Amino acid sequence: MQDIIKLRSHYQTEFDKSNFEQIFKDQRLMKFALAGGQSVFQNNCAVCHGTGGGGNVGYPNLTAGAWLWGGKIDDIYPTLKYGIRSEHP
């Protein structure tokens, strides 16, 4: 378990220092981001948006390509970080 924690810590440190463009270009960091994002989605979003993101009554389909608040990474990131109904900066 300690080896896994150490390896994850290395990736997390590198990930935290990188911007979106750097992550998209680095296969290792992208794989790390996707695995983490999948876990976070299942734990926080799937109950409303469905396990595949297809939506539920009152919650939009996240796979349709029609974004209510913008579909670019700079639009999506604040929603993921704060939630859409938050009064974030």
Side-chain angles (χ1 to χ4, degrees):
M1 187 68 167
Q2 291 300 322
D3 289 342
I4 293 171
I5 292 170
K6 185 177 178 181
L7 180 62
R8 185 182 187 284
S9 174
H10 167 75
Y11 278 106
Q12 189 67 55
T13 299
E14 191 174 350
F15 183 83
D16 290 344
K17 291 179 184 177
S18 302
N19 62 35
F20 290 124
E21 185 176 331
Q22 292 166 321
I23 292 168
F24 289 140
K25 289 180 180 179
D26 187 317
Q27 287 183 339
R28 296 171 310 111
L29 291 180
M30 192 63 185
K31 187 175 178 180
F32 181 77
L34 290 172
Q38 187 175 43
S39 177
V40 168
F41 182 88
Q42 293 305 320
N43 288 324
N44 297 284
C45 310
V47 70
C48 297
H49 292 284
T51 57
N56 283 315
V57 176
Y59 297 92
N61 179 343
L62 301 177
T63 66
W67 294 86
L68 298 175
W69 294 281
K72 295 181 179 152
I73 194 70
D74 290 332
D75 301 323
I76 297 167
Y77 181 72
T79 300
L80 297 176
K81 186 171 183 178
Y82 305 108
I84 199 59
R85 290 175 180 82
S86 155
E87 294 186 25
H88 59 277

